[in-house]
Amino acid sequence: MNPDKFLLDSGFFGWVYKILTPIEWLMSQIMVLFHRFLVLLGMPSEGASWILSIVFLVLVVHACILPIFVRQIKSMRKMQALQPQMKHIQNKYKGKKDPASREALSREMSKLYQDNGANPAGSCLPMLIQGPVFMCMFYMLSAIQYIANGVRKPLGAFDKATAADFAHTSFLGVKITNNFGMAATSGKVVIGIFVALMCAAMWFMQFNNMRKNLPREQMEGQQYKMQQAMTWVFPIMYIFSGFTMPFAVLIYWLTNNIANMLRSLWQVYTFPTPGSPAAEEKKVRDHARENARRKRAGEISLEEQELVQAKEQAEHREDQGFQRQQPKRKKRKK
């Protein structure tokens, strides 16, 4: 933290953040617009209105990403359904390393994806969007203090007066532009709690996916143990970075992690991976719901329907008498 120079505007990252300026401008406009709306409702200009503006920005970002996320889930399910055909094509060219075979393998795989509307890179798209958004949020919230002090020029809707209004905001006794090192003792405790909650939300999201949304055959071996270790690595890494960030960024980050966790829980509950414990639980839930629907409609249950079908099949076999069909003679060629 250099009070006389905004370091994020220099070096390689300064060039990256300059490319992302349109996103930073749009995010600042959304935050300030929502803040003005809350002030019109009677909330004070400094304080909770800015905190809620940060939370609102997170919700806007997730609302924009949700359709892409749903498309990602559908694409992943299509990829899972195509596994047998993909394996057949791969076995067809197994051991063939000549350019013609590699080209044919790539061509057939691409055609398989195209014919079935599957996208192998679809699972990466939400992360490719969320990454730059988080970078822009970190940059914008870090720059506000420098805009308020006149060290940096205005950014989007944050002119010097608006930035000063934001910089004077405190939440739970912590100035919103302070980081762990700049806060008082009580502020350090609050920031520590926020970092702990932020990491806990990320850890639980990964832990729940590992525990419920992996096929049972993948829940063993060295690779599974490495995945289990990674559920602890990333949260621990974020502890160190969390203590260096302004408190405003931690508010965004905690809200974002909670939103990601809730979205992940919804995915595991609604669109579980086939063969996973979550898929088995969903099958039981769907069975119970269908029986409940049938009961309300005055229809027979699924179990009773299976008994009726089994009885009909037995009666059909009995009527046919298990007679063996006589083989037909082949016609002789004249």
Side-chain angles (χ1 to χ4, degrees):
M1 300 291 293
N2 187 338
D4 300 322
K5 184 180 180 181
F6 187 45
L7 298 178
L8 291 180
D9 278 340
S10 59
F12 171 75
F13 284 103
W15 177 75
V16 172
Y17 285 122
K18 192 175 292 291
I19 295 175
L20 298 174
T21 298
I23 303 176
E24 297 158 8
W25 181 91
L26 179 60
M27 294 173 75
S28 71
Q29 296 290 343
I30 294 172
M31 268 191 66
V32 172
L33 183 64
F34 189 70
H35 173 261
R36 289 173 181 170
F37 172 73
L38 293 177
V39 172
L40 285 175
L41 293 180
M43 295 187 68
S45 180
E46 298 177 7
S49 55
W50 282 117
I51 305 301
L52 293 176
S53 298
I54 296 173
V55 174
F56 177 75
L57 181 58
V58 174
L59 297 179
V60 169
V61 170
H62 278 269
C64 294
I65 292 176
L66 186 60
I68 302 172
F69 183 74
V70 173
R71 187 181 299 177
Q72 169 211 348
I73 294 173
K74 293 180 179 179
S75 178
M76 289 175 63
R77 292 178 73 88
K78 287 180 181 178
M79 291 293 294
Q80 290 165 355
L82 292 176
Q83 286 296 324
Q85 299 178 57
M86 292 168 59
K87 191 172 182 180
H88 173 74
I89 295 173
Q90 291 168 350
N91 290 336
K92 181 178 175 182
Y93 295 97
K94 187 176 181 179
K96 299 179 180 179
K97 298 183 179 180
D98 57 286
S101 297
R102 290 183 177 181
E103 182 185 356
L105 172 62
S106 178
R107 185 173 60 251
E108 290 190 31
M109 294 291 281
S110 298
K111 187 175 185 305
L112 180 65
Y113 298 147
Q114 186 177 5
D115 292 345
N116 292 273
N119 182 9
S123 59
C124 302
L125 191 55
M127 285 300 297
L128 292 176
I129 295 174
Q130 280 186 296
V133 167
F134 177 78
M135 290 178 64
C136 291
M137 192 67 182
F138 171 64
Y139 177 87
M140 182 183 68
L141 294 176
S142 300
I144 292 174
Q145 179 67 45
Y146 294 87
I147 297 172
N149 294 338
V151 176
R152 192 196 185 282
K153 62 182 181 180
L155 174 62
F158 281 104
D159 54 19
K160 187 173 181 179
T162 307
D165 187 64
F166 179 92
H168 292 153
T169 294
S170 294
F171 182 64
L172 298 177
V174 187
K175 197 174 179 181
I176 202 169
T177 55
N178 284 358
N179 60 17
F180 184 82
M182 300 165 62
T185 304
S186 60
K188 285 180 169 60
V189 173
V190 172
I191 289 176
I193 292 173
F194 266 66
V195 172
L197 291 174
M198 179 183 74
C199 295
M202 176 177 290
W203 173 83
F204 182 76
M205 179 182 70
Q206 296 179 133
F207 171 75
N208 188 65
N209 280 329
M210 289 281 297
R211 182 172 60 98
K212 286 195 169 184
N213 206 35
L214 280 180
R216 292 195 180 276
E217 59 270 16
Q218 295 183 18
M219 292 184 174
E220 56 186 17
Q222 189 65 29
Q223 185 176 0
Y224 179 66
K225 291 180 180 179
M226 290 180 62
Q227 288 177 316
Q228 284 181 313
M230 293 303 291
T231 62
W232 293 94
V233 170
F234 284 113
I236 292 174
M237 288 174 58
Y238 287 134
I239 290 175
F240 299 101
S241 56
F243 284 120
T244 64
M245 294 185 179
F247 188 46
V249 176
L250 295 183
I251 295 171
Y252 169 82
W253 204 348
L254 175 60
T255 309
N256 185 65
N257 281 8
I258 291 174
N260 281 333
M261 181 186 69
L262 294 176
R263 188 181 63 184
S264 176
L265 291 173
W266 170 76
Q267 175 197 354
V268 172
Y269 184 84
T270 310
F271 301 103
T273 303
S276 65
E280 296 170 3
E281 293 175 4
K282 185 177 186 301
K283 186 177 180 180
V284 174
R285 288 197 309 270
D286 292 344
H287 186 91
R289 287 173 181 170
E290 177 61 17
N291 276 341
R293 185 198 66 79
R294 288 171 176 242
K295 185 177 180 180
R296 290 193 301 268
E299 301 173 0
I300 62 174
S301 67
L302 291 170
E303 290 80 6
E304 291 171 336
Q305 181 178 323
E306 291 177 359
L307 290 174
V308 170
Q309 291 175 348
K311 184 177 180 181
E312 290 176 351
Q313 291 174 1
E315 291 175 351
H316 179 72
R317 288 196 298 268
E318 187 176 348
D319 291 341
Q320 294 295 322
F322 299 99
Q323 293 183 358
R324 179 173 176 268
Q325 292 184 353
Q326 296 296 327
K328 295 180 180 180
R329 291 185 177 181
K330 294 183 179 180
K331 293 182 179 180
R332 295 182 179 179
K333 295 182 180 180
K334 293 182 179 180

